[in-house]
Amino acid sequence: MKKLALLLVMITSMGLTAQNSTERNTVTVTGEGKVMVVPDKVIINSRIETEGLNPTDVKKDNDKIANDIFKYLKSQGVPEKNIQTEYMNLNKRTDYNTKEETYVANQAISIKLDDLKNYEKIMQGLLKNGLNRINGVEFSSSKIEEYQKEARKKAVLDAKQKAEDLVAALDQKIGKAVMISENGGNTYPVMRMAEMKSAAQADQQTIAPGEMEIRVNVNISFQLY
């Protein structure tokens, strides 16, 4: 039994030594990959606000505008799944200077356009149908997954280059990757506040989509020789 116990201790010790040796003979680096993308889709975060003395009338006016907007979007071929009511509320508003009380109804609607080219036309139609608040405009891409893969590949190559640069001064080389992890991919969509234009200005460009930055970071441990 004593011999068996001694043998187990020796095997365990050898395993730990081998593990520590492996850990010592690696180099760990972080790589980053970026891809700049021109967006082709847009989400309009809009809101309908109505105000008056009678809460029932205020709510009714708000609902009518919302219905007109839904009908307009449908007539323009916007799918129902691309139109979402984010929230609705009705609150009392008090002017503490005049002591006057009014009621305010708000309905927030998110509208996704699959073709960015339709933005100007759709926006003008929304304003004509009673939309009076734009909370923001968010741009995105229909090929986001494809671009994320490209950014991920760039991150891995960046990590490999960093590792090679680090060990070159030591007259050593890197081998196979023994550990790799992704720190989560980040997409930074372009955000713009929309400027409301009158019908006479409908032919003017009111947004500048710019570019989106897709960024991926990875950690990689390479064998060191």
Side-chain angles (χ1 to χ4, degrees):
M1 289 293 293
K2 289 183 179 181
K3 290 183 179 180
L4 179 58
L6 180 59
L7 180 61
L8 289 174
V9 170
M10 291 177 64
I11 292 175
T12 303
S13 177
M14 291 173 61
L16 291 174
T17 302
Q19 180 180 355
N20 292 334
S21 177
T22 301
E23 291 176 354
R24 285 196 301 269
N25 294 332
T26 61
V27 57
T28 302
V29 292
T30 299
E32 182 176 75
K34 296 180 182 178
V35 176
M36 302 304 295
V37 180
V38 176
D40 58 6
K41 298 196 300 185
V42 61
I43 297 177
I44 303 171
N45 297 307
S46 64
R47 182 162 54 91
I48 305 165
E49 182 175 303
T50 52
E51 184 174 6
L53 299 175
N54 187 296
T56 302
D57 292 339
V58 170
K59 180 64 167 58
K60 186 181 298 183
D61 291 342
N62 197 283
D63 289 342
K64 182 183 182 304
I65 295 174
N67 186 58
D68 290 342
I69 287 175
F70 294 149
K71 285 183 178 179
Y72 168 72
L73 291 172
K74 185 177 181 180
S75 72
Q76 297 302 307
V78 179
E80 289 187 12
K81 63 183 180 65
N82 288 4
I83 308 168
Q84 181 176 345
T85 299
E86 300 292 343
Y87 66 82
M88 298 174 61
N89 58 49
L90 177 65
N91 298 300
K92 182 185 291 187
R93 177 180 292 172
T94 302
D95 186 327
Y96 291 99
N97 293 321
T98 63
K99 306 301 181 182
E100 181 183 17
E101 292 185 342
T102 58
Y103 291 88
V104 181
N106 278 283
Q107 183 170 175
I109 304 173
S110 173
I111 305 162
K112 183 172 73 173
L113 303 180
D114 292 326
D115 189 347
L116 186 57
K117 295 178 182 178
N118 295 329
Y119 172 82
E120 301 292 346
K121 177 184 176 182
I122 294 292
M123 180 59 75
Q124 290 302 317
L126 292 172
L127 299 179
K128 288 179 181 179
N129 280 278
L131 187 73
N132 53 13
R133 296 288 187 275
I134 303 295
N135 294 337
V137 176
E138 179 181 346
F139 300 97
S140 62
S141 171
S142 58
K143 299 181 179 179
I144 194 70
E145 293 182 0
E146 177 182 331
Y147 292 126
Q148 285 176 336
K149 289 181 180 179
E150 183 179 346
R152 191 173 292 114
K153 182 178 180 180
K154 287 187 175 183
V156 171
L157 293 176
D158 180 54
K160 182 182 179 182
Q161 185 62 56
K162 284 183 178 179
E164 290 175 343
D165 292 343
L166 283 173
V167 304
L170 303 174
D171 292 327
Q172 291 182 286
K173 296 182 179 181
I174 62 170
K176 295 181 179 180
V178 295
M179 185 280 294
I180 182 168
S181 64
E182 183 177 337
N183 295 333
N186 295 315
T187 302
Y188 299 91
V190 183
M191 298 292 291
R192 296 284 188 274
M193 292 302 294
E195 180 181 358
M196 289 191 176
K197 297 288 185 179
S198 65
Q201 297 172 302
D203 59 339
Q204 297 183 10
Q205 181 178 349
T206 60
I207 57 170
E211 292 183 315
M212 298 167 52
E213 180 184 279
I214 299 174
R215 185 188 305 170
V216 173
N217 292 284
V218 296
N219 292 325
I220 304 180
S221 294
F222 294 95
Q223 290 179 337
L224 187 58
Y225 295 104

